[in-house]
Amino acid sequence: MSLIDVIEGTRDAIDNDLHNAAVSFRVANTLAPGTATVVEVKVRDKAFTVDEPGALGGTDTAANPVEYALAALGSCQVITYQFWAAKLGIPLGSVRVTVDGDLDLHGFFGFSLNTRPGFGDVRVSVELDGPATRDQYEQLRREVDEHCPVLDLFRHETPVSTKLA
């Protein structure tokens, strides 16, 4: 199935019933027994591990949560470029996205109440290759920046509620 088929099929499904536009995702996270930082993650029928590097008390068996956050942003950008290139009819040979983020550990460890625990700065570098013009790729970048769900999470406050079961 092509991306255009996915886009049009989704549009038809939503046009037929607005409830089809609302989707939910669930991820289950469990501390691996006998560890302090290894987390087993289950997403649908997929599984992966999260850990911290040794310098942060982990066993360095996997990427850490903030690295996965950067990976989520970069991979969402790549996918969103693909969808919007197809939607706009802009030919795109390849997409490479590199994401860098700066984090101050004062916030995470509570060493400073004036330092946020999350990223202070995130930089996204996009390399596009293909036969389109620079102007077309700039138009594509603007659409991706406006419609990328994970970029939206980084740019805007999202309501989050936590309950203790």
Side-chain angles (χ1 to χ4, degrees), residues 118-136:
F119 287 113
D121 186 48
V122 174
R123 296 165 305 283
V124 178
S125 175
V126 180
E127 297 174 38
L128 303 177
D129 183 49
T133 66
R134 178 73 180 189
D135 286 344
Q136 287 176 304

Side-chain angles (χ1 to χ4, degrees), residues 30 48-49 56 99 121 127 148:
T30 306
F48 61 92
T49 304
L56 292 176
V99 184
D121 186 48
E127 297 174 38
C148 177

Side-chain angles (χ1 to χ4, degrees), residues 14 24 32 40 46 74 77 82 87 96 103 119 121 125 130 146:
I14 291 170
S24 294
E40 298 166 344
K46 315 293 184 257
Q77 285 271 294
Q82 291 293 103
K87 183 173 180 170
R96 178 185 165 103
L103 192 128
F119 287 113
D121 186 48
S125 175
E146 186 176 331

Side-chain angles (χ1 to χ4, degrees), residues 36-80:
T37 61
V38 177
V39 179
E40 298 166 344
V41 181
K42 301 236 187 284
V43 180
R44 292 175 284 135
D45 62 344
K46 315 293 184 257
F48 61 92
T49 304
V50 176
D51 194 5
E52 290 288 349
L56 292 176
T59 59
D60 203 20
T61 59
N64 72 13
V66 295
E67 291 166 326
Y68 276 116
L70 296 176
L73 175 56
S75 57
C76 193
Q77 285 271 294
V78 170
I79 292 167
T80 305

Side-chain angles (χ1 to χ4, degrees), residues 124-160:
V124 178
S125 175
V126 180
E127 297 174 38
L128 303 177
D129 183 49
T133 66
R134 178 73 180 189
D135 286 344
Q136 287 176 304
Y137 286 152
E138 279 298 325
Q139 176 192 10
L140 178 57
R141 183 198 56 78
R142 287 190 301 272
E143 293 295 342
V144 169
D145 283 355
E146 186 176 331
H147 296 96
C148 177
V150 179
L151 181 59
D152 181 76
L153 288 172
F154 273 82
R155 285 187 167 168
H156 302 102
E157 187 172 331
T158 300
V160 177

Side-chain angles (χ1 to χ4, degrees), residues 98-115:
T98 304
V99 184
D100 296 288
D102 300 325
L103 192 128
D104 186 334
L105 294 177
H106 282 94
F108 174 69
F109 285 109
F111 299 152
S112 168
L113 299 178
N114 298 325
T115 303

